[in-house]
Amino acid sequence: MAVTAAQVKELRDITGAGMLDCKKALEQTDGNVEAAVTYLREKGIAKAAKKADRIAAEGLCNVIIEGNVAVIYELNSETDFVAKNEKFLSLLDSIGHIILTSGVENTEAAMQVVSNGKTVETLLAEATATIGEKITLRRVQRVVKADNQLFGSYKHMGGRIATVAILNGGDDAVAKDIAMHVAAQKPQYLDQTQISADFIAKEREVLVHQAMEENAKEAKPKPQNILEKMVEGRLNKQLKDICLVNQPFVKNPDETVEQYVKNNKAAVASFVRLEVGEGIEKKDNDFAKEVMEQVRA
């Protein structure tokens, strides 16, 4: 019988399984939703739904490069212990190669890529059921360079932080140095031309208020023109701190990143930095309480 979109949605809401898995289950059970739930449970796919509300804020980031294309991505688990598991590490590698060869450029598209008859979404659901923790693909970015450019990549602590940089000129050692610096110093922008006028205006406003409050407490307040110069000085320092080219080079703080690459006949074209769990609000779990609740259940 023909499976309707409404049936697929109903089964997906119940089990949390992927759309293609739900469609296949309904086809195998002649559209019987209850039987389809059992089918998915037997396949180990529906078990992932029980973990759907958990927070996966651990895991690893990775970079895979092939020719002029790189993919940098984050695969999450609930605990760092699982992130060291061989099954997780194997999944991390295979997912990366699937993404790289597929040509997709973002997470949403990556989830629907099919490999050996299964979507990435299905592979993650199966891994969740097998490993016993919620496994999610959170961020995917595709990076492409020109033939005359160089990739530099770096992973810190096995992938807690992963970076990829593109250089014009230089050599592989310089490119890796820049990727390592990005991992260590966490720049937000390449240079000040990338910073929006709104961001600068808001930061200036904050610094003005800070300077006025400080000045009000002074026994001998500074004149307005001095305050304005002080604010601009603080603002310029702040903007330099968040721009890669202006940061002191991590291997030699006596020169900036811009000076370092220039001395090596290179220039930084772009960079991407991922750190595990950025922006995720983690739960403070009371494990003793959780265990006791399970014992009473």
Side-chain angles (χ1 to χ4, degrees):
M1 64 169 288
V3 174
T4 67
Q7 287 174 308
V8 173
K9 183 179 184 303
E10 181 183 359
L11 184 57
R12 181 176 170 81
D13 290 342
I14 294 171
T15 65
M19 288 183 291
L20 293 180
D21 288 313
C22 290
K23 184 174 184 293
K24 182 179 179 181
L26 287 163
E27 289 171 346
Q28 293 292 321
T29 57
D30 294 324
N32 186 312
V33 174
E34 185 175 345
V37 171
T38 301
Y39 175 91
L40 290 172
R41 289 185 63 195
E42 289 173 350
K43 295 294 183 181
I45 297 172
K47 292 170 67 176
K50 296 179 180 179
K51 303 174 178 67
D53 62 345
R54 296 186 185 177
I55 295 177
E58 297 297 334
L60 291 172
C61 298
N62 197 25
V63 182
I64 295 181
I65 298 173
E66 190 173 291
N68 285 347
V69 181
V71 289
I72 182 167
Y73 57 102
E74 177 184 3
L75 189 68
N76 296 114
S77 59
E78 294 177 52
T79 65
D80 58 357
F81 177 78
V82 160
K84 300 170 186 175
N85 182 295
E86 282 300 322
K87 290 180 180 178
F88 183 90
L89 294 173
S90 177
L91 180 67
L92 178 74
D93 185 65
S94 62
I95 291 290
H97 282 95
I98 291 170
I99 295 169
L100 183 68
T101 56
S102 71
V104 298
E105 298 183 354
N106 56 57
T107 311
E108 293 74 18
M111 292 292 281
Q112 302 309 316
V113 173
V114 177
S115 176
N116 295 322
K118 296 180 180 180
T119 64
V120 168
E121 184 177 22
T122 299
L123 293 174
L124 295 176
E126 290 178 346
T128 296
T130 302
I131 294 173
E133 283 193 9
K134 182 179 179 181
I135 308 297
T136 60
L137 180 64
R138 182 168 172 242
R139 292 184 286 179
V140 173
Q141 190 164 339
R142 187 178 182 85
V143 183
V144 181
K145 73 173 184 65
D147 289 336
N148 61 348
Q149 293 178 314
L150 289 175
F151 275 134
S153 65
Y154 185 79
K155 291 195 294 184
H156 178 63
M157 293 179 65
R160 293 292 300 177
I161 300 171
T163 64
V164 61
I166 296 179
L167 261 65
N168 296 320
D171 56 31
D172 290 338
V174 176
K176 184 173 182 179
D177 275 349
I178 296 305
M180 181 180 67
H181 174 97
V182 169
Q185 299 303 106
K186 200 176 182 177
Q188 297 177 43
Y189 303 94
L190 175 62
D191 56 40
Q192 292 186 38
T193 64
Q194 294 185 343
I195 305 176
S196 71
D198 286 345
F199 177 88
I200 294 174
K202 287 177 183 177
E203 291 305 306
R204 180 180 284 110
E205 185 178 349
V206 170
L207 292 172
V208 165
H209 284 297
Q210 288 178 350
M212 289 175 66
E213 286 195 11
E214 291 172 8
N215 205 40
K217 297 174 184 177
E218 293 285 343
K220 190 175 181 181
K222 299 179 179 66
Q224 185 65 28
N225 65 319
I226 298 297
L227 281 183
E228 289 175 358
K229 289 181 181 179
M230 187 172 71
V231 166
E232 289 306 307
R234 289 179 180 179
L235 179 62
N236 287 333
K237 181 182 184 305
Q238 185 172 318
L239 296 180
K240 286 181 178 180
D241 286 344
I242 60 177
C243 290
L244 173 61
V245 297
N246 300 132
Q247 291 179 334
F249 179 46
V250 70
K251 281 188 171 183
N252 179 14
D254 291 333
E255 62 179 352
T256 64
V257 169
E258 186 173 41
Q259 290 168 336
Y260 169 70
V261 293
K262 187 175 181 180
N263 290 339
N264 285 277
K265 299 178 181 179
V268 185
S270 63
F271 69 90
V272 180
R273 181 186 190 277
L274 296 184
E275 184 170 349
V276 170
E278 285 175 311
I280 299 178
E281 186 176 344
K282 301 181 182 180
K283 286 183 179 179
D284 292 324
N285 292 318
D286 186 337
F287 290 107
K289 182 180 179 181
E290 186 176 325
V291 170
M292 289 305 297
E293 286 176 350
Q294 291 180 9
V295 170
R296 294 193 193 101

